[in-house]
Amino acid sequence: MKYTDKLRAMCRPATAVIAASLLFAACNNDEDTEKPGPGPDPEPETELSFACDVTDITASSAKVIVSPIDGYTGYYYFDVMEKTEFETQYADNLQVLADRFETMIQETADRYIEAGLVSSIEELMESAIASQGIADYEYQTLNPLTDYCVWACGVDLQGKVTSDISVIKEFTTLDVEHSGMTFDIAYDPDTYQLTLTPSGDENYVWGLLSAEDYQQYYNNSAEECIKDLVDTYVEGGVLEANLHTGTVSASMILKATVGENVVVAAGYEDGITTSVAEYRFEFAGNPSATITEDVETTLGAMTSAFYSNWGETPEGSGLDQATVMLSDYESMKQLYIDVWYPHGEAISGTYEINNSNEARTAIAGRITSTLNPSFYAVLNAEALEFEQYALLESGTITIMGDDMSMFYSVTVDAKSGDYSVKVDYTGMMFSASSAGASLSPVAPAAKVGALKLSQHTAAAFGPGPERVNPRVKALCALAK
């Protein structure tokens, strides 16, 4: 895996899956394994020795078990890296690896502290990063038929390396069973339907993103794109839910970006099993409306609502993007609102609707914002497709509420084509924050699962430019 391409902020997700993907996968240390008590840190040692075993090796995963020897009872850290990467970048200068490790520890701690998951770097180290005694970790985003090395070093609870770094084990992942399955992909601009038809009955994954993102983030490499998508699903624990068989037909309304879009697809079984298919199509834009009469409703008592903070963006603006969703499970009516708002401030206020029909774009502003895409919809619960919807073209959305109680009123007075859309909602609004400032009082922090920087954070041990990955778009397009 190329750690230079990993994200510095992992954001995922559609609806609840996205919120859940903020948390990293457990588990580094078995809860049943007794560890020595914290106690005072031992004196730094120049060289440490470790016993290491690697089991359950597949094409994309392996379980690594590590134990210090020679009486060492302090803290340590271990991780895996592609052997060629270690040899070319660090073998001749291990201090570079140590320095980058310490930098990533500090950056990770800053994010966790800001999110309210830990109170200090010491707490993060002890609960999720540093190990004592016998520890194990199952790596799940490895590349098939690739040589890896396990490296380890002593650390303290301030995130500093306290010993030499040493390679303690090498192993090779298995190959996958390849097949000749191919894909027939087609887009119908009259119905907005994208159809993927595989030639066989194997599992496969597919993704959707704009041609601009495809070039910028993946240099038009279908292999890199599909690998990144699979890694996202694995890290979020949603891979199985996003494996498909047979023909898939999906509406591109409110999913595709105006202009050229790219679809990638490949078979998957413990790794990519087929050649990666690439398909391009032009998306002219979302239809203005399919509402055939005025809509006026008060969402009922079974309504749920949430808003999700997707992190500070655009870069340097001090602004966050928030998504507000209202959903009435009885009528299957839904309202999505995307807004920009100043970093860390409440979302209450009146927003002017100025929808340009270009998905996922916005103009920053506190009182007057571009909400895009904002739409009212009636969802078919079985097909998970919108049977009736309206992009809100003009009007206002007013959000009034108390962040401390998360009790809000949302009023929509808008036009869609020739018809009006009026929606009222009053009730609780639940926050799902994935980055940036919290939109609601911080709940008691959940137990932080074991964290391996190579698996879950950006540019952990490699140079190179950072990038913002369009994973959210792909996840929204693929969510079942």
Side-chain angles (χ1 to χ4, degrees):
M1 105 185 28
K2 295 295 184 184
Y3 303 117
T4 58
D5 291 338
K6 290 299 177 185
L7 298 178
R8 194 166 290 273
M10 302 288 295
C11 293
R12 323 286 193 66
T15 65
V17 172
I18 300 178
S21 66
L22 168 67
L23 300 179
F24 298 108
C27 24
N28 181 26
N29 297 328
D30 285 342
E31 293 183 1
D32 295 333
T33 301
E34 293 187 4
K35 300 189 302 180
D41 289 341
E43 290 296 321
E45 301 188 28
T46 302
E47 295 182 2
L48 294 177
S49 298
F50 297 88
C52 180
D53 191 17
V54 181
T55 65
D56 304 328
I57 300 174
T58 71
S60 59
S61 65
K63 183 177 181 179
V64 178
I65 306 168
V66 176
S67 176
I69 56 178
D70 296 338
Y72 180 74
T73 59
Y75 293 97
Y76 66 95
Y77 178 83
F78 70 91
D79 212 339
V80 302
M81 183 181 298
E82 288 187 16
K83 184 178 178 181
T84 55
E85 184 176 356
F86 182 86
E87 290 176 343
T88 57
Q89 296 189 31
Y90 305 112
D92 295 332
N93 191 354
L94 292 174
Q95 187 60 44
V96 174
L97 179 55
D99 291 344
R100 286 183 177 147
F101 169 79
E102 292 179 355
T103 298
M104 287 304 301
I105 289 295
Q106 186 62 60
E107 292 175 352
T108 302
D110 290 343
R111 292 199 303 271
Y112 272 59
I113 292 169
E114 183 180 5
L117 294 174
V118 298
S119 60
S120 66
I121 190 172
E122 290 82 3
E123 181 183 349
L124 178 63
M125 286 296 296
E126 187 171 19
S127 65
I129 295 179
S131 298
Q132 276 184 298
I134 301 174
D136 64 76
Y137 189 88
E138 184 174 1
Y139 292 85
Q140 296 183 322
T141 57
L142 306 180
N143 292 320
L145 208 60
T146 302
D147 293 329
Y148 284 91
C149 62
V150 183
W151 61 273
C153 61
V155 296
D156 60 26
L157 293 186
Q158 288 71 48
K160 303 300 182 181
V161 174
T162 60
S163 76
D164 290 342
I165 293 175
S166 58
V167 172
I168 59 175
K169 190 77 171 182
E170 296 182 2
F171 67 96
T172 303
T173 50
L174 305 181
D175 200 1
V176 297
E177 184 177 347
H178 297 274
S179 78
M181 188 172 76
T182 59
F183 297 87
D184 182 16
I185 306 175
Y187 172 69
D188 186 340
D190 295 327
T191 62
Y192 304 98
Q193 291 292 311
L194 177 78
T195 304
L196 294 89
T197 305
S199 63
D201 58 1
E202 304 166 35
N203 290 333
Y204 66 93
V205 293
W206 68 279
L208 166 71
L209 71 168
S210 70
E212 181 180 358
D213 287 343
Y214 190 55
Q215 165 64 39
Q216 179 179 355
Y217 302 126
Y218 301 107
N219 196 28
N220 292 330
S221 170
E223 289 73 18
E224 288 293 324
C225 183
I226 206 76
K227 176 63 165 60
D228 203 27
L229 180 62
V230 168
D231 288 353
T232 301
Y233 287 149
V234 171
E235 291 164 2
V238 295
L239 176 61
E240 185 175 351
N242 286 282
L243 293 177
H244 303 268
T245 56
T247 298
V248 168
S249 183
S251 173
M252 293 294 97
I253 295 172
L254 301 169
K255 295 177 181 176
T257 301
V258 174
E260 188 177 29
N261 291 259
V262 179
V263 177
V264 292
Y268 184 87
E269 186 66 41
D270 290 329
I272 303 301
T273 60
T274 69
S275 298
V276 184
E278 176 188 305
Y279 176 79
R280 295 173 182 256
F281 68 94
E282 290 286 336
F283 185 69
N286 296 299
S288 60
T290 56
I291 296 292
T292 57
E293 59 185 4
D294 290 347
V295 175
E296 186 168 355
T297 183
T298 299
L299 297 182
M302 295 183 66
T303 299
S304 73
F306 76 89
Y307 54 88
S308 177
N309 171 13
W310 293 65
E312 188 173 330
T313 181
E315 184 177 358
S317 68
L319 299 167
D320 288 340
Q321 182 183 14
T323 297
V324 177
M325 183 192 80
L326 305 178
S327 179
D328 187 326
Y329 293 119
E330 185 172 357
S331 67
M332 297 308 292
K333 294 184 176 75
Q334 293 191 340
L335 173 71
Y336 286 82
I337 308 169
D338 285 354
V339 300
W340 297 100
Y341 66 98
H343 185 65
E345 294 192 16
I347 61 174
S348 296
T350 299
Y351 298 87
E352 295 287 339
I353 298 170
N354 178 20
N355 201 323
S356 64
N357 271 3
E358 295 183 8
R360 301 175 180 89
T361 62
I363 298 175
R366 174 59 177 164
I367 301 302
T368 301
S369 295
T370 295
L371 288 73
N372 206 346
S374 303
F375 65 99
Y376 176 83
V378 178
L379 184 67
N380 183 311
E382 295 182 359
L384 293 181
E385 293 287 349
F386 296 113
E387 292 184 336
Q388 185 186 44
Y389 72 95
L391 287 160
L392 307 184
E393 298 174 352
S394 62
T396 61
I397 295 178
T398 301
I399 305 173
M400 303 298 294
D402 182 356
D403 282 352
M404 296 305 295
S405 65
M406 295 184 289
F407 191 84
Y408 287 85
S409 295
V410 180
T411 302
V412 179
D413 186 358
K415 284 185 63 65
S416 178
D418 296 328
Y419 303 100
S420 64
V421 176
K422 297 181 183 296
V423 179
D424 293 309
Y425 166 77
T426 299
M428 295 293 288
M429 196 175 292
F430 304 99
S431 171
S433 179
S434 60
S438 175
L439 300 180
S440 63
V442 176
K447 180 180 178 181
V448 178
L451 171 61
K452 290 299 179 186
L453 300 182
S454 64
Q455 291 281 91
H456 301 289
T457 60
F461 305 114
E466 296 175 18
R467 62 188 176 89
V468 178
N469 186 286
R471 291 177 170 180
V472 170
K473 294 185 181 181
L475 287 173
C476 289
L478 299 178
K480 286 188 175 182

